[in-house]
Amino acid sequence: MTALSVENVWKYYGDFPALRGISFEARQGACVALLGRNGAGKTTLLRILAGLSRPTRGSVRVFGRDCLDAEVRRQTGLIGHGIGIYDELSAYENLRLFAALYGVKDPRRAAMEWLERTGLERVRDGLVREFSRGMRQRLAVARAFLHRPSLLLLDEPFTALDDRAIALLQGLLKESLAGGATVVMSTHQLREALELATHVALIVKGRLAHAGERTAEMLEDPGWLYRTYGEA
Amino acid sequence: MTALSVENVWKYYGDFPALRGISFEARQGACVALLGRNGAGKTTLLRILAGLSRPTRGSVRVFGRDCLDAEVRRQTGLIGHGIGIYDELSAYENLRLFAALYGVKDPRRAAMEWLERTGLERVRDGLVREFSRGMRQRLAVARAFLHRPSLLLLDEPFTALDDRAIALLQGLLKESLAGGATVVMSTHQLREALELATHVALIVKGRLAHAGERTAEMLEDPGWLYRTYGEA
Amino acid sequence: MLFLRQAWTVAQKDLRSEFRTKEALNASLSFALVILLLFSFAFDPTAEMTREISGGLLWLVFAFAGALLLNRSFARELENDCLDVLVVSPVPAAALFLGKALANYILLLGIEAVCLPVFGVFYNADWTRQPAWLAIVILLATWGITIIGTMFSALTVNLRLRELMLPMLVYPMLIPCLMAAMQLTTALMAGQAPSGDQLAWVRMLVGFDIIFTALSVALVETVLIG
Amino acid sequence: MLFLRQAWTVAQKDLRSEFRTKEALNASLSFALVILLLFSFAFDPTAEMTREISGGLLWLVFAFAGALLLNRSFARELENDCLDVLVVSPVPAAALFLGKALANYILLLGIEAVCLPVFGVFYNADWTRQPAWLAIVILLATWGITIIGTMFSALTVNLRLRELMLPMLVYPMLIPCLMAAMQLTTALMAGQAPSGDQLAWVRMLVGFDIIFTALSVALVETVLIG
Amino acid sequence: MREKILYALGALAALLLARNIWVMLTGLPDEAFQGAIFRIIFFHVPAAFTCFLCFFVALVASISYLKSGKMQWDSLAVSATEAGLAFGAANLVSGMIWARIIWGIWWTWDWRLTSMLVCWLLYAGYLVLRRAVEEPAQRARLSAVLSILSFAVVPFVFFSIKWFRTQHPQPVLYGEGKMDAAYRAMLYLNWVPLLMLAAVLIAIRIGQENRRRELDALRREAHSI
Ligand code: HEM
Ligand SMILES: Nc1ncnc2c1ncn2[C@@H]1O[C@H](COP(=O)(O)OP(=O)(O)OP(=O)(O)O)[C@@H](O)[C@H]1O
Ligand SMILES: Nc1ncnc2c1ncn2[C@@H]1O[C@H](COP(=O)(O)OP(=O)(O)OP(=O)(O)O)[C@@H](O)[C@H]1O
Ligand SMILES: [Mg+2]
Ligand SMILES: [Mg+2]
């Protein structure tokens, strides 16, 4: 089943086309690594998929619906550059808030459960302001996963994370993928990304230069992809 | 000759000791990779070395002088999290400004030279605002190198860079090292860092857990360091 | 129903984080007091004329303090990119907007409730003569300030010059609303219940509130989703 | 010499990037116009009394517009972490501070130069009667506003509540300076050259400027290097 | 081709204007109370109406932009707003000169005068906002919203005139004021060249805007190595 279909998406910033006719599909359970050099258009594409920005032309369908649809939003989880967590609220209050916003059945229980899963139950009433960067990132992960999204959009999720935080995130991603969720993530850290990815999409100057399954040789030599399709 | 000596440095944020008695030395021409988990204190230490923040206790000597000394500052180059470049000025104006601030002999020539070296001479009069991320990073590199510093402090310099930008930076670093400069850089991207590093310093919760030469086995298995000293 | 519940959740969050730190509250309250003080230097307030301009002064203070408070409304979501997360959540933009407006309304009313007696003491003005009407005017005009301020807070949230842009754009927009409030308040402080012309001002306030609430709710999605 | 050259380099940079976009200039200029307008609603300015309070009004406008402009002074360095880079450069903190203050001074004087005639026209005030003295008062008081505003801009640059804190701290601090300027300007607009009491105000302005310039230059390093 | 039409239109406007001024100076008698200066009305009033018309065009263009997302509409919106501001300034300045001569002061806080100033400042804010947004699509979107909100304020500003006693003459064209037929004809006649002028201005500015956008895109293209 196709979870995500992007059809001929163009995005102009003024008259400059940041995305030029991107089309691809991702079936349910796929993990797509979105690669490309600085300024290729990865963030732009992810923001469109998340419904944070509208394509100038073309359409994005998620689970067969428009990506601005409330039902689709309820099933989408996002980790962007920022952590998306309120500094003045406690860890528990943050999660309860997002559980309520996402219409999760029992917000309190869901919040407690995810505090436990990310190892934060000891500091549930501590204000986020006082958390270290690693703890914040854990909380961000909990926030993105707590409504059990079936589509996960991650923009450079491994940036500035240490080994343990990376392991936590990878574990959760694997679990979600096993549960049938679809993942799209952009990254420059090819190694970490390619380990998880089932598919690869390479963007060069706003065009899709290559899309397909992740092959074994990519894992061995992460630079191969750029060398082969990079200068298209 | 020791270029940098850190002696029993403590830094408190309020009552929380972010650095607890760090001491190490780096001889001239060394490249120290500053490693540690999120919140270990890498950024805090680098800011103290750069003279952006004062240690609560302890002292830092650079080339035998205090690190707040104007002469030391003239010889220090910094790449922090931000690029440290003005958006409303053109690439050339930016470099000329910093050349003037650092008392470089002929600011115009130095600016032009570094625009060429970083491949930006085509866009010398473009406002930085309109630059893509990769181009900005190049300019930041030019800014940090243009006064030929003999001490380079880099905080996660490889974050969010693509392969080409990383290659450019590594090239410049190698050249500086060959010219006798000393480099201290913090990073989570162990592979890129360890390739260049001659020495390694691991910080765990504000304490120096390990400091020494980079050995061949670290290169082969970047996780080894954390596993061996990480839980100290 | 769901819409209202979502708006209320957002308002609750804003209120809770504001009451936790009280930063914006304290700051705009003290700002209001400072302006009251500044005005009293600029214009000798013992004179008889103060009474004539008391409505004007009061609403100037409310407008300045309000702009300061409202400026933060969407800006507080910028930290940690919370705004993105709210926008992608299933909460419609209109509910988000109304929730924030509601929280601001409550905060602003609170500030006004403190400033009013202080003003009365400093400037020797008697504001208790027409309490019911005064309350109505304050409620109406404050909603006008809130809705315009919140809308512009959303509009300027991503601009570099936010702090400068917001007051520059907001005050001219607010002029009809402030005018009406000033006229009515001056009359009410003199003890006159509104009638004739004055009632037209009240009607104008109501119209202003309705039109801008409707426009903002309709346009806020365009503003938030690029 | 080197010190002055460095300060001037910093000032030049600030002026150049401001004139490139003119954003802050335009915005604070139109903000000043908007406040002039707002005041005219609050105080019926056709009355004779306007002349009595014209000095007060004028300096309120300058103070409000100035606070907005000065707020940006160090804040503009936050983008891209430019402040860090400036602080680690071999330029001493005092030169950095004076350079920025100088740029602000020039900008603020420019805004005042535009506002003054506009004020004269709109409020029907004749400001040309004592041009030399008026220029002196404006130069002195504006330097006071600039130095305090720039210092607090440096002080609050890293606070989350910058927009809120700055006006709240700056205005009370400025009260002596503004008081003097208001008194003097009102008298000058009435055509009286300062004498006796008035001269004491001038002396106070000079003292204010000297003391706060000295204090700021001495303290700014502590403020910028944490 | 387009240029030629513009030049022709501009020349025609200039001719008409010259002819009107000639007639004004030679053909029309002085007004009874105000004397020669009364002729300023032939510019003062049409300038005001042209200004409002421009703002209305800007409103329509803004709504169309939000509907269609075509940058051309954005160009039209800015151009119309700028032309409107120019004519608004003409109205203000001519009014001020007039006031200086008739009332002896440049300005009074009469609501009619003030309301015009408020409008002018509102739309001046529009231009300031545009300068502060870098990204063109975002700029177009935000300023379109601002334009709509601004236009919604204008009726409040103008309807409240009814509740004030103003020093400014009552509307003659649609209100209680009265005016001689010859004057009235001249007023309309002078409106025509001003409208043509506005059209020319707007067309020129649209051309500039379009060219600037193209340049922008080319530069970005060149910059993305
Ligand atoms: C700066 C000062 C002034 C401003 C801003 C101003 C503004 C305006 C505006 C906006 C209109 C057209 C809008 C409408 O009719 O509702 C108008 C019309 C008019 N103005 Fe002025 N005005 C000013 C000064 C004066 C003065 C001093 C006089 C003459 C004593 C004057 C005489 C008129 C007349 C006769 C009309 C035509 C009214 C009509 O037919 O609608 N104006 N003015
Ligand atoms: N808000 C914006 N305004 C104008 N141009 C933009 C904007 N955002 C992105 N762009 C341009 O669009 C292109 C794609 O940017 P995008 O941020 O999507 O790249 P990216 O692939 O995420 O790069 P990076 O790896 O550096 O994050 C770039 O050329 C950039 O200059
Ligand atoms: N300004 C501050 N105020 C209070 N605590 C701080 C501040 N900056 C850092 N800390 C605390 O000091 C510790 C060290 O922070 P630092 O930023 O140096 O870590 P780091 O090693 O750079 O981590 P990362 O890899 O996440 O960048 C952390 O526990 C952090 O919470
Ligand atoms: Mg990106
Ligand atoms: Mg760090």
Side-chain angles (χ1 to χ4, degrees), chain D:
Chain D
M1 254 324 284
L2 178 64
F3 183 89
L4 288 184
R5 191 137 33 84
Q6 288 172 327
W8 178 237
T9 310
V10 173
Q12 241 182 337
K13 165 198 84 68
D14 267 18
L15 288 175
R16 176 170 298 143
S17 55
E18 181 51 47
F19 280 114
R20 175 115 339 130
T21 57
K22 298 196 199 63
E23 288 169 345
L25 260 183
N26 283 339
S28 44
L29 200 59
S30 26
F31 181 62
L33 291 180
V34 169
I35 319 182
L36 272 180
L37 199 81
L38 271 185
F39 284 158
S40 83
F41 290 124
F43 324 110
D44 187 10
T46 46
E48 174 54 27
M49 74 175 219
T50 323
R51 214 129 326 147
E52 280 167 40
I53 62 171
S54 57
L57 264 179
L58 192 64
W59 282 100
L60 276 185
V61 173
F62 289 172
F64 281 125
L68 275 186
L69 189 76
L70 295 171
N71 201 348
R72 292 277 313 149
S73 175
F74 275 86
R76 69 145 42 98
E77 306 285 339
L78 280 184
E79 232 185 320
N80 302 341
D81 285 351
C82 289
L83 188 57
D84 284 357
V85 175
L86 280 189
V87 171
V88 298
S89 79
V91 177
L96 183 58
F97 174 77
L98 281 183
K100 287 201 150 292
L102 192 61
N104 290 334
Y105 192 49
I106 292 172
L107 290 176
L108 196 50
L109 283 179
I111 290 178
E112 292 176 353
V114 178
C115 284
L116 195 59
V118 173
F119 177 82
V121 169
F122 281 165
Y123 285 85
N124 216 352
D126 189 358
W127 48 277
T128 50
R129 296 204 197 160
Q130 295 278 352
W133 271 108
L134 191 65
I136 291 176
V137 170
I138 289 185
L139 288 177
L140 285 175
T142 305
W143 181 252
I145 297 181
T146 307
I147 208 85
I148 296 251
T150 312
M151 186 64 190
F152 278 90
S153 168
L155 200 65
T156 55
V157 63
N158 280 316
L159 293 186
R160 228 167 342 131
L161 281 182
R162 183 161 43 81
E163 305 107 76
L164 293 179
M165 295 311 279
L166 190 72
M168 202 185 97
L169 297 171
V170 163
Y171 293 136
M173 207 66 158
L174 275 182
I175 279 177
C177 172
L178 286 180
M179 273 289 279
M182 284 170 175
Q183 298 280 346
L184 285 167
T185 307
T186 304
L188 289 174
M189 291 219 178
Q192 304 155 11
S195 63
D197 266 18
Q198 305 278 355
L199 279 179
W201 283 118
V202 176
R203 254 175 276 131
M204 188 178 119
L205 271 183
V206 175
F208 187 93
D209 285 1
I210 293 177
I211 289 185
F212 281 99
T213 308
L215 270 182
S216 305
V217 167
L219 290 176
V220 70
E221 183 159 359
T222 330
V223 169
L224 287 180
I225 302 183

Side-chain angles (χ1 to χ4, degrees), chain A residues 18-210:
Chain A
L19 295 180
R20 316 178 191 206
I22 301 262
S23 307
F24 73 90
E25 296 206 337
R27 57 166 183 69
Q28 205 188 332
C31 174
V32 183
L34 204 58
L35 308 177
R37 292 227 163 80
N38 289 131
K42 305 180 295 298
T43 300
T44 308
L45 183 57
L46 277 172
R47 287 179 68 87
I48 289 177
L49 295 183
L52 273 171
S53 143
R54 292 198 190 87
T56 312
R57 246 178 286 153
S59 74
V60 174
R61 317 280 302 172
V62 182
F63 310 125
R65 300 169 195 240
D66 189 281
C67 68
L68 291 176
D69 187 275
E71 188 46 40
V72 168
R73 302 202 146 184
R74 190 162 293 123
Q75 301 196 14
T76 308
L78 173 77
I79 302 187
H81 288 280
I83 60 169
I85 288 283
Y86 290 96
D87 277 353
E88 303 88 32
L89 301 180
S90 72
Y92 170 69
E93 281 168 339
N94 261 301
L95 292 186
R96 207 185 52 191
L97 167 70
F98 285 104
L101 290 181
Y102 276 91
V104 171
K105 276 280 153 45
D106 186 349
R108 284 151 213 273
R109 262 215 14 200
M112 284 311 295
E113 183 196 329
W114 279 93
L115 283 176
E116 261 167 54
R117 296 196 60 170
T118 48
L120 294 172
E121 73 276 37
R122 267 194 320 124
V123 287
R124 54 167 277 192
D125 292 322
L127 296 195
V128 174
R129 202 176 3 178
E130 292 158 359
F131 282 14
S132 82
R133 187 149 168 193
M135 290 157 76
R136 286 157 170 265
Q137 192 70 26
R138 279 159 200 256
L139 197 55
V141 170
R143 195 256 304 135
F145 281 87
L146 106 166
H147 57 288
R148 309 199 171 276
S150 33
L151 173 65
L152 277 157
L153 302 172
L154 317 174
D155 197 359
E156 309 198 17
F158 301 117
T159 295
L161 286 191
D162 64 20
D163 50 341
R164 278 195 225 153
I166 289 182
L168 171 72
L169 184 56
Q170 282 180 330
L172 282 172
L173 280 176
K174 275 186 196 136
E175 191 190 309
S176 289
L177 284 169
T182 314
V183 176
V184 182
M185 63 173 150
S186 88
T187 189
H188 291 294
Q189 272 149 291
L190 302 181
R191 244 171 269 266
E192 280 85 354
L194 291 178
E195 247 169 57
L196 275 173
T198 60
H199 291 73
V200 162
L202 177 70
I203 302 186
V204 176
K205 292 194 182 164
R207 288 215 176 74
L208 197 68
H210 172 74

Side-chain angles (χ1 to χ4, degrees), chain A residues 11 47 50-54 70 73 82-89 93 96-98 101-102 127 143, chain C residues 6 9-10 13 16-17 20-21 23 77 79-82 84-91 221 224-226:
Chain A
K11 175 76 184 182
R47 287 179 68 87
L52 273 171
S53 143
R54 292 198 190 87
R73 302 202 146 184
I83 60 169
I85 288 283
Y86 290 96
D87 277 353
E88 303 88 32
L89 301 180
E93 281 168 339
R96 207 185 52 191
L97 167 70
F98 285 104
L101 290 181
Y102 276 91
L127 296 195
R143 195 256 304 135
Chain C
Q6 288 173 325
T9 310
V10 173
K13 165 197 84 69
R16 174 169 301 143
S17 56
R20 177 118 335 134
T21 57
E23 287 167 340
E77 305 286 340
E79 235 183 317
N80 302 341
D81 284 352
C82 289
D84 283 357
V85 175
L86 280 189
V87 170
V88 299
S89 80
V91 178
E221 184 161 356
L224 289 179
I225 302 182

